[in-house]
Amino acid sequence: MLGQTLVVIGGSAGIGLATAGHARAEGASVILTGRDPERLRTAATEVEALGTAAFDAGDPARLRRFFQELPGPIDHVMVTAGHPSYGRLLDMDCDQARRAVSEHMVLALEVARHAAGTVRPGGTLLLLGGTGARRMRAGLGIAPAVTAALPAFIAGLALELAPVRVNLIAAGFVDTPLSARLLGDGLDARREELRTMLPIGRVVVPADVAALAVHIMTNTALTGATYDVDGGQQFVG
């Protein structure tokens, strides 16, 4: 990735930060965005970021201004911002349902609009989704619908954005700060359960996803596809 520039929307921690670090080690320049200015400064120092921008990616006007203010064309954009919303469907009001969808698909669409005029031909728009909602059960809310729709969504974007490439990483449980916040006191028990259950015999960590992300960015034959990284969780969980 020498001489290339990667923008990570949601790059101050977890998978986004790990991907920025991996890309930086491969020679790329990285630009990070995130909501928390202090955490973003720490992350930028860690990966020697070319630049940062602290804002809410769900704000369309601020997102547009960010892309307009970039110093020049870029090569890759990765979107890790947002997190799943769970709960009973019938307990969700309209605003909650719209927010659950917009945190993934609407945000990705807004980023894609800006990538069309900013990312160099052959570059990448890479989205992050999940595998956990592929098995239906009560209490998952709208997450299964979003999970099911994302592969078709990115395939359509890949056709419309070509020659910019569009791909999706579908991650299972990844041991990130977000996972720690969601699980709270249950985190250690979940880690131990996965170590026992998963075919790989360990928990998936951000570096695993980052390695896949950088491969997708550098392999110019890949577009319109979904790539799972879950340690085999969907087959045994």
Side-chain angles (χ1 to χ4, degrees), residues 68-96:
Q68 290 172 341
E69 293 173 350
L70 287 172
I74 57 177
D75 299 279
H76 309 284
V77 180
M78 183 176 186
V79 183
T80 69
H83 58 81
S85 298
Y86 299 120
R88 280 173 42 87
L89 278 168
L90 295 180
D91 292 338
M92 299 180 73
D93 61 31
C94 290
D95 287 340
Q96 289 172 322

PDB file of all heavy atoms in Angstrom, residues 68-96:
ATOM      1  N   GLN A  68     -15.097  17.011   1.402  1.00  0.00           N
ATOM      2  CA  GLN A  68     -14.726  18.199   0.643  1.00  0.00           C
ATOM      3  C   GLN A  68     -13.395  18.783   1.094  1.00  0.00           C
ATOM      4  O   GLN A  68     -12.660  19.380   0.296  1.00  0.00           O
ATOM      5  CB  GLN A  68     -15.817  19.264   0.766  1.00  0.00           C
ATOM      6  CG  GLN A  68     -17.116  18.913   0.045  1.00  0.00           C
ATOM      7  CD  GLN A  68     -18.231  19.891   0.339  1.00  0.00           C
ATOM      8  OE1 GLN A  68     -18.199  20.638   1.330  1.00  0.00           O
ATOM      9  NE2 GLN A  68     -19.244  19.900  -0.509  1.00  0.00           N
ATOM     10  N   GLU A  69     -13.065  18.594   2.367  1.00  0.00           N
ATOM     11  CA  GLU A  69     -11.850  19.176   2.936  1.00  0.00           C
ATOM     12  C   GLU A  69     -10.636  18.258   2.852  1.00  0.00           C
ATOM     13  O   GLU A  69      -9.542  18.633   3.298  1.00  0.00           O
ATOM     14  CB  GLU A  69     -12.100  19.565   4.392  1.00  0.00           C
ATOM     15  CG  GLU A  69     -13.107  20.714   4.540  1.00  0.00           C
ATOM     16  CD  GLU A  69     -13.486  20.978   5.982  1.00  0.00           C
ATOM     17  OE1 GLU A  69     -13.112  20.152   6.854  1.00  0.00           O
ATOM     18  OE2 GLU A  69     -14.155  21.999   6.237  1.00  0.00           O
ATOM     19  N   LEU A  70     -10.791  17.048   2.292  1.00  0.00           N
ATOM     20  CA  LEU A  70      -9.642  16.165   2.131  1.00  0.00           C
ATOM     21  C   LEU A  70      -8.595  16.831   1.240  1.00  0.00           C
ATOM     22  O   LEU A  70      -8.938  17.519   0.276  1.00  0.00           O
ATOM     23  CB  LEU A  70     -10.078  14.827   1.523  1.00  0.00           C
ATOM     24  CG  LEU A  70     -10.847  13.875   2.447  1.00  0.00           C
ATOM     25  CD1 LEU A  70     -11.374  12.682   1.667  1.00  0.00           C
ATOM     26  CD2 LEU A  70      -9.966  13.404   3.600  1.00  0.00           C
ATOM     27  N   PRO A  71      -7.315  16.628   1.535  1.00  0.00           N
ATOM     28  CA  PRO A  71      -6.263  17.335   0.797  1.00  0.00           C
ATOM     29  C   PRO A  71      -6.124  16.901  -0.659  1.00  0.00           C
ATOM     30  O   PRO A  71      -5.480  17.585  -1.443  1.00  0.00           O
ATOM     31  CB  PRO A  71      -4.994  16.991   1.591  1.00  0.00           C
ATOM     32  CG  PRO A  71      -5.322  15.729   2.315  1.00  0.00           C
ATOM     33  CD  PRO A  71      -6.782  15.812   2.632  1.00  0.00           C
ATOM     34  N   GLY A  72      -6.702  15.776  -1.049  1.00  0.00           N
ATOM     35  CA  GLY A  72      -6.587  15.309  -2.430  1.00  0.00           C
ATOM     36  C   GLY A  72      -7.281  13.972  -2.585  1.00  0.00           C
ATOM     37  O   GLY A  72      -7.926  13.482  -1.653  1.00  0.00           O
ATOM     38  N   PRO A  73      -7.171  13.366  -3.758  1.00  0.00           N
ATOM     39  CA  PRO A  73      -7.787  12.040  -3.971  1.00  0.00           C
ATOM     40  C   PRO A  73      -7.233  11.017  -2.987  1.00  0.00           C
ATOM     41  O   PRO A  73      -6.101  11.123  -2.518  1.00  0.00           O
ATOM     42  CB  PRO A  73      -7.383  11.700  -5.417  1.00  0.00           C
ATOM     43  CG  PRO A  73      -7.063  13.013  -6.049  1.00  0.00           C
ATOM     44  CD  PRO A  73      -6.490  13.862  -4.962  1.00  0.00           C
ATOM     45  N   ILE A  74      -8.058  10.006  -2.682  1.00  0.00           N
ATOM     46  CA  ILE A  74      -7.654   8.943  -1.775  1.00  0.00           C
ATOM     47  C   ILE A  74      -7.826   7.603  -2.484  1.00  0.00           C
ATOM     48  O   ILE A  74      -8.362   7.529  -3.592  1.00  0.00           O
ATOM     49  CB  ILE A  74      -8.471   8.973  -0.465  1.00  0.00           C
ATOM     50  CG1 ILE A  74      -9.972   8.858  -0.776  1.00  0.00           C
ATOM     51  CG2 ILE A  74      -8.166  10.227   0.323  1.00  0.00           C
ATOM     52  CD1 ILE A  74     -10.841   8.806   0.447  1.00  0.00           C
ATOM     53  N   ASP A  75      -7.362   6.546  -1.845  1.00  0.00           N
ATOM     54  CA  ASP A  75      -7.391   5.228  -2.477  1.00  0.00           C
ATOM     55  C   ASP A  75      -8.399   4.280  -1.858  1.00  0.00           C
ATOM     56  O   ASP A  75      -8.944   3.418  -2.549  1.00  0.00           O
ATOM     57  CB  ASP A  75      -5.992   4.604  -2.413  1.00  0.00           C
ATOM     58  CG  ASP A  75      -4.976   5.441  -3.156  1.00  0.00           C
ATOM     59  OD1 ASP A  75      -4.910   5.329  -4.388  1.00  0.00           O
ATOM     60  OD2 ASP A  75      -4.268   6.226  -2.496  1.00  0.00           O
ATOM     61  N   HIS A  76      -8.658   4.415  -0.559  1.00  0.00           N
ATOM     62  CA  HIS A  76      -9.543   3.473   0.116  1.00  0.00           C
ATOM     63  C   HIS A  76     -10.323   4.178   1.216  1.00  0.00           C
ATOM     64  O   HIS A  76      -9.796   5.066   1.892  1.00  0.00           O
ATOM     65  CB  HIS A  76      -8.743   2.322   0.745  1.00  0.00           C
ATOM     66  CG  HIS A  76      -7.784   1.667  -0.197  1.00  0.00           C
ATOM     67  ND1 HIS A  76      -8.172   0.793  -1.177  1.00  0.00           N
ATOM     68  CD2 HIS A  76      -6.431   1.788  -0.312  1.00  0.00           C
ATOM     69  CE1 HIS A  76      -7.116   0.385  -1.859  1.00  0.00           C
ATOM     70  NE2 HIS A  76      -6.050   0.975  -1.351  1.00  0.00           N
ATOM     71  N   VAL A  77     -11.576   3.757   1.381  1.00  0.00           N
ATOM     72  CA  VAL A  77     -12.403   4.211   2.501  1.00  0.00           C
ATOM     73  C   VAL A  77     -12.973   2.977   3.185  1.00  0.00           C
ATOM     74  O   VAL A  77     -13.560   2.104   2.533  1.00  0.00           O
ATOM     75  CB  VAL A  77     -13.571   5.108   2.040  1.00  0.00           C
ATOM     76  CG1 VAL A  77     -14.392   5.560   3.267  1.00  0.00           C
ATOM     77  CG2 VAL A  77     -13.063   6.311   1.263  1.00  0.00           C
ATOM     78  N   MET A  78     -12.796   2.903   4.500  1.00  0.00           N
ATOM     79  CA  MET A  78     -13.388   1.828   5.289  1.00  0.00           C
ATOM     80  C   MET A  78     -14.364   2.441   6.287  1.00  0.00           C
ATOM     81  O   MET A  78     -14.035   3.436   6.943  1.00  0.00           O
ATOM     82  CB  MET A  78     -12.325   1.026   6.031  1.00  0.00           C
ATOM     83  CG  MET A  78     -12.887  -0.158   6.807  1.00  0.00           C
ATOM     84  SD  MET A  78     -11.574  -1.144   7.587  1.00  0.00           S
ATOM     85  CE  MET A  78     -12.526  -2.513   8.242  1.00  0.00           C
ATOM     86  N   VAL A  79     -15.562   1.862   6.375  1.00  0.00           N
ATOM     87  CA  VAL A  79     -16.590   2.367   7.272  1.00  0.00           C
ATOM     88  C   VAL A  79     -16.840   1.344   8.373  1.00  0.00           C
ATOM     89  O   VAL A  79     -17.341   0.251   8.106  1.00  0.00           O
ATOM     90  CB  VAL A  79     -17.908   2.653   6.524  1.00  0.00           C
ATOM     91  CG1 VAL A  79     -18.938   3.249   7.482  1.00  0.00           C
ATOM     92  CG2 VAL A  79     -17.662   3.598   5.349  1.00  0.00           C
ATOM     93  N   THR A  80     -16.462   1.673   9.598  1.00  0.00           N
ATOM     94  CA  THR A  80     -16.717   0.796  10.740  1.00  0.00           C
ATOM     95  C   THR A  80     -17.650   1.447  11.753  1.00  0.00           C
ATOM     96  O   THR A  80     -17.982   0.832  12.763  1.00  0.00           O
ATOM     97  CB  THR A  80     -15.403   0.407  11.459  1.00  0.00           C
ATOM     98  OG1 THR A  80     -14.868   1.565  12.108  1.00  0.00           O
ATOM     99  CG2 THR A  80     -14.384  -0.140  10.478  1.00  0.00           C
ATOM    100  N   ALA A  81     -18.067   2.685  11.497  1.00  0.00           N
ATOM    101  CA  ALA A  81     -18.924   3.401  12.442  1.00  0.00           C
ATOM    102  C   ALA A  81     -20.280   2.715  12.558  1.00  0.00           C
ATOM    103  O   ALA A  81     -20.756   2.057  11.628  1.00  0.00           O
ATOM    104  CB  ALA A  81     -19.104   4.844  11.986  1.00  0.00           C
ATOM    105  N   GLY A  82     -20.931   2.897  13.715  1.00  0.00           N
ATOM    106  CA  GLY A  82     -22.241   2.309  13.954  1.00  0.00           C
ATOM    107  C   GLY A  82     -22.139   0.991  14.696  1.00  0.00           C
ATOM    108  O   GLY A  82     -21.084   0.359  14.735  1.00  0.00           O
ATOM    109  N   HIS A  83     -23.233   0.567  15.282  1.00  0.00           N
ATOM    110  CA  HIS A  83     -23.260  -0.713  15.984  1.00  0.00           C
ATOM    111  C   HIS A  83     -24.675  -1.265  15.928  1.00  0.00           C
ATOM    112  O   HIS A  83     -25.644  -0.523  15.717  1.00  0.00           O
ATOM    113  CB  HIS A  83     -22.797  -0.569  17.440  1.00  0.00           C
ATOM    114  CG  HIS A  83     -23.590   0.395  18.256  1.00  0.00           C
ATOM    115  ND1 HIS A  83     -24.791   0.063  18.828  1.00  0.00           N
ATOM    116  CD2 HIS A  83     -23.365   1.701  18.571  1.00  0.00           C
ATOM    117  CE1 HIS A  83     -25.259   1.108  19.495  1.00  0.00           C
ATOM    118  NE2 HIS A  83     -24.421   2.109  19.351  1.00  0.00           N
ATOM    119  N   PRO A  84     -24.858  -2.571  16.083  1.00  0.00           N
ATOM    120  CA  PRO A  84     -26.195  -3.174  15.944  1.00  0.00           C
ATOM    121  C   PRO A  84     -27.147  -2.733  17.038  1.00  0.00           C
ATOM    122  O   PRO A  84     -26.745  -2.441  18.160  1.00  0.00           O
ATOM    123  CB  PRO A  84     -25.907  -4.678  16.030  1.00  0.00           C
ATOM    124  CG  PRO A  84     -24.625  -4.778  16.781  1.00  0.00           C
ATOM    125  CD  PRO A  84     -23.821  -3.583  16.389  1.00  0.00           C
ATOM    126  N   SER A  85     -28.430  -2.699  16.678  1.00  0.00           N
ATOM    127  CA  SER A  85     -29.484  -2.373  17.642  1.00  0.00           C
ATOM    128  C   SER A  85     -30.360  -3.603  17.829  1.00  0.00           C
ATOM    129  O   SER A  85     -30.924  -4.125  16.861  1.00  0.00           O
ATOM    130  CB  SER A  85     -30.339  -1.205  17.129  1.00  0.00           C
ATOM    131  OG  SER A  85     -29.567  -0.045  16.971  1.00  0.00           O
ATOM    132  N   TYR A  86     -30.464  -4.080  19.069  1.00  0.00           N
ATOM    133  CA  TYR A  86     -31.225  -5.287  19.351  1.00  0.00           C
ATOM    134  C   TYR A  86     -32.463  -4.951  20.178  1.00  0.00           C
ATOM    135  O   TYR A  86     -32.597  -3.867  20.729  1.00  0.00           O
ATOM    136  CB  TYR A  86     -30.362  -6.303  20.102  1.00  0.00           C
ATOM    137  CG  TYR A  86     -29.140  -6.753  19.330  1.00  0.00           C
ATOM    138  CD1 TYR A  86     -27.860  -6.550  19.837  1.00  0.00           C
ATOM    139  CD2 TYR A  86     -29.278  -7.367  18.098  1.00  0.00           C
ATOM    140  CE1 TYR A  86     -26.732  -6.964  19.125  1.00  0.00           C
ATOM    141  CE2 TYR A  86     -28.161  -7.788  17.377  1.00  0.00           C
ATOM    142  CZ  TYR A  86     -26.892  -7.589  17.909  1.00  0.00           C
ATOM    143  OH  TYR A  86     -25.796  -7.992  17.204  1.00  0.00           O
ATOM    144  N   GLY A  87     -33.361  -5.906  20.274  1.00  0.00           N
ATOM    145  CA  GLY A  87     -34.597  -5.745  21.028  1.00  0.00           C
ATOM    146  C   GLY A  87     -35.769  -6.271  20.211  1.00  0.00           C
ATOM    147  O   GLY A  87     -35.645  -6.539  19.017  1.00  0.00           O
ATOM    148  N   ARG A  88     -36.908  -6.413  20.840  1.00  0.00           N
ATOM    149  CA  ARG A  88     -38.092  -6.897  20.130  1.00  0.00           C
ATOM    150  C   ARG A  88     -38.537  -5.915  19.058  1.00  0.00           C
ATOM    151  O   ARG A  88     -38.587  -4.714  19.291  1.00  0.00           O
ATOM    152  CB  ARG A  88     -39.237  -7.118  21.122  1.00  0.00           C
ATOM    153  CG  ARG A  88     -39.165  -8.411  21.914  1.00  0.00           C
ATOM    154  CD  ARG A  88     -40.245  -8.454  22.995  1.00  0.00           C
ATOM    155  NE  ARG A  88     -41.540  -7.968  22.524  1.00  0.00           N
ATOM    156  CZ  ARG A  88     -42.464  -8.728  21.911  1.00  0.00           C
ATOM    157  NH1 ARG A  88     -42.224 -10.010  21.687  1.00  0.00           N
ATOM    158  NH2 ARG A  88     -43.618  -8.216  21.529  1.00  0.00           N
ATOM    159  N   LEU A  89     -38.858  -6.437  17.874  1.00  0.00           N
ATOM    160  CA  LEU A  89     -39.300  -5.581  16.775  1.00  0.00           C
ATOM    161  C   LEU A  89     -40.523  -4.755  17.167  1.00  0.00           C
ATOM    162  O   LEU A  89     -40.597  -3.551  16.881  1.00  0.00           O
ATOM    163  CB  LEU A  89     -39.634  -6.436  15.544  1.00  0.00           C
ATOM    164  CG  LEU A  89     -38.470  -6.867  14.664  1.00  0.00           C
ATOM    165  CD1 LEU A  89     -38.924  -7.931  13.672  1.00  0.00           C
ATOM    166  CD2 LEU A  89     -37.871  -5.680  13.932  1.00  0.00           C
ATOM    167  N   LEU A  90     -41.487  -5.396  17.816  1.00  0.00           N
ATOM    168  CA  LEU A  90     -42.730  -4.705  18.134  1.00  0.00           C
ATOM    169  C   LEU A  90     -42.552  -3.663  19.232  1.00  0.00           C
ATOM    170  O   LEU A  90     -43.451  -2.853  19.462  1.00  0.00           O
ATOM    171  CB  LEU A  90     -43.805  -5.724  18.546  1.00  0.00           C
ATOM    172  CG  LEU A  90     -44.229  -6.696  17.441  1.00  0.00           C
ATOM    173  CD1 LEU A  90     -45.305  -7.654  17.952  1.00  0.00           C
ATOM    174  CD2 LEU A  90     -44.739  -5.948  16.209  1.00  0.00           C
ATOM    175  N   ASP A  91     -41.409  -3.688  19.890  1.00  0.00           N
ATOM    176  CA  ASP A  91     -41.131  -2.676  20.914  1.00  0.00           C
ATOM    177  C   ASP A  91     -40.379  -1.475  20.351  1.00  0.00           C
ATOM    178  O   ASP A  91     -40.146  -0.500  21.071  1.00  0.00           O
ATOM    179  CB  ASP A  91     -40.316  -3.292  22.054  1.00  0.00           C
ATOM    180  CG  ASP A  91     -41.110  -4.304  22.859  1.00  0.00           C
ATOM    181  OD1 ASP A  91     -42.351  -4.235  22.824  1.00  0.00           O
ATOM    182  OD2 ASP A  91     -40.487  -5.170  23.506  1.00  0.00           O
ATOM    183  N   MET A  92     -39.978  -1.544  19.080  1.00  0.00           N
ATOM    184  CA  MET A  92     -39.233  -0.444  18.462  1.00  0.00           C
ATOM    185  C   MET A  92     -40.203   0.575  17.884  1.00  0.00           C
ATOM    186  O   MET A  92     -41.146   0.204  17.164  1.00  0.00           O
ATOM    187  CB  MET A  92     -38.327  -0.960  17.340  1.00  0.00           C
ATOM    188  CG  MET A  92     -37.275  -1.947  17.787  1.00  0.00           C
ATOM    189  SD  MET A  92     -36.247  -2.516  16.400  1.00  0.00           S
ATOM    190  CE  MET A  92     -35.245  -1.046  16.115  1.00  0.00           C
ATOM    191  N   ASP A  93     -40.001   1.850  18.200  1.00  0.00           N
ATOM    192  CA  ASP A  93     -40.810   2.873  17.541  1.00  0.00           C
ATOM    193  C   ASP A  93     -40.186   3.229  16.197  1.00  0.00           C
ATOM    194  O   ASP A  93     -39.112   2.738  15.846  1.00  0.00           O
ATOM    195  CB  ASP A  93     -40.987   4.107  18.431  1.00  0.00           C
ATOM    196  CG  ASP A  93     -39.673   4.796  18.776  1.00  0.00           C
ATOM    197  OD1 ASP A  93     -38.736   4.763  17.958  1.00  0.00           O
ATOM    198  OD2 ASP A  93     -39.590   5.388  19.880  1.00  0.00           O
ATOM    199  N   CYS A  94     -40.837   4.077  15.438  1.00  0.00           N
ATOM    200  CA  CYS A  94     -40.373   4.386  14.080  1.00  0.00           C
ATOM    201  C   CYS A  94     -38.995   5.036  14.087  1.00  0.00           C
ATOM    202  O   CYS A  94     -38.156   4.738  13.231  1.00  0.00           O
ATOM    203  CB  CYS A  94     -41.388   5.296  13.382  1.00  0.00           C
ATOM    204  SG  CYS A  94     -42.945   4.481  12.980  1.00  0.00           S
ATOM    205  N   ASP A  95     -38.750   5.918  15.040  1.00  0.00           N
ATOM    206  CA  ASP A  95     -37.448   6.584  15.098  1.00  0.00           C
ATOM    207  C   ASP A  95     -36.334   5.588  15.386  1.00  0.00           C
ATOM    208  O   ASP A  95     -35.247   5.667  14.798  1.00  0.00           O
ATOM    209  CB  ASP A  95     -37.457   7.682  16.169  1.00  0.00           C
ATOM    210  CG  ASP A  95     -38.272   8.888  15.743  1.00  0.00           C
ATOM    211  OD1 ASP A  95     -38.498   9.045  14.524  1.00  0.00           O
ATOM    212  OD2 ASP A  95     -38.689   9.660  16.623  1.00  0.00           O
ATOM    213  N   GLN A  96     -36.576   4.648  16.296  1.00  0.00           N
ATOM    214  CA  GLN A  96     -35.569   3.636  16.602  1.00  0.00           C
ATOM    215  C   GLN A  96     -35.287   2.754  15.391  1.00  0.00           C
ATOM    216  O   GLN A  96     -34.136   2.412  15.114  1.00  0.00           O
ATOM    217  CB  GLN A  96     -36.037   2.779  17.778  1.00  0.00           C
ATOM    218  CG  GLN A  96     -36.042   3.498  19.114  1.00  0.00           C
ATOM    219  CD  GLN A  96     -36.688   2.671  20.213  1.00  0.00           C
ATOM    220  OE1 GLN A  96     -37.680   1.969  19.976  1.00  0.00           O
ATOM    221  NE2 GLN A  96     -36.114   2.729  21.403  1.00  0.00           N
TER     222      GLN A  96
END
